[in-house]
Amino acid sequence: MSITTFGRQLVHYEAHGRGEPLLFVHGWLGSWRYWWPSMQSLSTHFRTFALDLWGFGDSTKDPALYSVDAYVEMVDQFIDRLGILTPLSVVGHGLGAAVALRYANRRPDRVKRLVIVALPVEGRHLNERLRTMPGDAFLQRFIYRIADHPEVERESHKTDQNAMWRLAEEVGTTDFADDLERVASPSLLVYGEHDPVVATPNGDYASLRQATVNRQFVELPEAGHFPMLEDSARFNRLVLDFLMAEAVAEVAPKDMWQRRTR
């Protein structure tokens, strides 16, 4: 276990591998731990880092720190505190995707590439029960989806329920479409087709599925809310392809990418 401090606050993190820096930011359910398979897979190319956000895992529990803005500042301080070289690439999932996206917009000079996994583009894309049920109850409701992933289940009891509720409420009432349009860093949007927690962009936001010069979209047909665990080989290969490609357009859309990697 690795710990750093911001004043009186403790931040738990783990690091693995060598190469250019790559930071993973977790979501509402779990902690840094469910990134471990991806950290191992990508460690031959990158120096990987994953931290526990305030209120999660083994980092400080303090309700005054439970907000997207506080987490964005936390990421910035973490990079400074550890002396991580920038620009670096960032992978965020769920809540962590919102934090990573806002960080990339706030500090574009520090983010080389951005992988956004299971981001609820607007409030209705986030399962309402995440905002209204205790974290352990929500986890039990969807346990059949993640029964094979102890990386998530065994860490859930460490979560401060106030952190989960507050951030689910904040993210669930925020529209991130403008953030996606403004972000300067080349970005990859990844969703699981069978995600019971976050819906893929639809309705007025269906255009986000279309590739642009600076953004690519991929939906993994075998994955739910945790593609890094449920379809780990494809997820890790996809992330590696994106981070190593000279241009976003070189990362093929879903059908072509699946055929190319079989």
Side-chain angles (χ1 to χ4, degrees):
M1 177 182 290
S2 299
I3 294 289
T4 188
T5 59
F6 302 169
R8 296 183 179 180
Q9 312 295 345
L10 300 180
V11 180
H12 169 243
Y13 72 95
E14 298 295 338
H16 186 59
R18 293 182 178 181
E20 293 186 12
L22 174 60
L23 175 63
F24 293 90
V25 188
H26 67 81
W28 291 279
L29 305 176
S31 67
W32 78 275
R33 188 173 297 278
Y34 67 69
W35 288 121
W36 182 239
S38 294
M39 293 173 70
Q40 290 180 301
S41 176
L42 296 169
S43 64
T44 56
H45 299 276
F46 297 92
R47 175 66 169 169
T48 62
F49 298 86
L51 76 163
D52 287 336
L53 296 172
W54 306 127
F56 297 85
D58 294 303
S59 289
T60 290
K61 311 301 192 284
D62 182 351
L65 299 171
Y66 301 160
S67 71
V68 171
D69 280 346
Y71 292 156
V72 169
E73 180 63 23
M74 180 186 191
V75 168
D76 203 39
Q77 288 183 291
F78 178 77
I79 292 170
D80 283 340
R81 189 69 174 174
L82 268 66
I84 300 173
L85 294 178
T86 60
L88 78 166
S89 295
V90 184
V91 182
H93 172 237
L95 165 62
V99 173
L101 178 59
R102 285 284 170 87
Y103 182 68
N105 276 326
R106 185 172 299 180
R107 295 300 306 268
D109 59 311
R110 289 195 153 197
V111 179
K112 182 178 181 180
R113 296 212 171 184
L114 184 63
V115 181
I116 302 168
V117 187
L119 172 73
V121 177
E122 68 163 346
R124 66 183 178 85
H125 292 165
L126 180 65
N127 190 308
E128 186 176 359
R129 293 186 178 90
L130 182 59
R131 288 183 278 167
T132 59
M133 296 175 67
D136 53 353
F138 183 87
L139 192 62
Q140 287 299 318
R141 182 178 179 83
F142 293 100
I143 197 66
Y144 69 97
R145 305 269 187 160
I146 61 173
D148 295 331
H149 307 307
E151 299 94 337
V152 178
E153 184 181 3
R154 72 186 183 189
E155 291 282 296
S156 63
H157 73 279
K158 295 181 179 179
T159 300
D160 183 341
Q161 302 302 310
N162 288 322
M164 194 188 77
W165 291 335
R166 288 189 183 188
L167 272 299
E169 180 65 25
E170 180 180 354
V171 174
T173 55
T174 303
D175 187 330
F176 291 98
D178 287 343
D179 293 89
L180 289 169
E181 295 297 337
R182 290 190 297 108
V183 68
S185 306
S187 303
L188 174 67
L189 274 65
V190 183
Y191 289 84
E193 185 175 332
H194 306 289
D195 192 337
V197 181
V198 175
T200 57
N202 55 51
D204 294 339
Y205 304 97
S207 62
L208 292 173
R209 292 171 169 266
Q210 300 173 3
T212 68
V213 173
N214 208 42
R215 187 180 66 231
Q216 186 62 282
F217 175 95
V218 173
E219 187 174 44
L220 297 177
E222 303 299 324
H225 188 59
F226 294 96
M228 70 293 294
L229 298 174
E230 295 156 335
D231 199 359
S232 59
R234 288 180 178 174
F235 176 84
N236 294 333
R237 175 59 187 270
L238 176 63
V239 172
L240 179 61
D241 283 355
F242 170 71
L243 296 178
M244 301 293 283
E246 293 186 4
V248 171
E250 295 181 11
V251 180
K254 182 185 68 173
D255 292 341
M256 293 175 62
W257 180 79
Q258 286 181 12
R259 289 198 296 270
R260 179 162 60 88
T261 57
R262 283 173 183 168

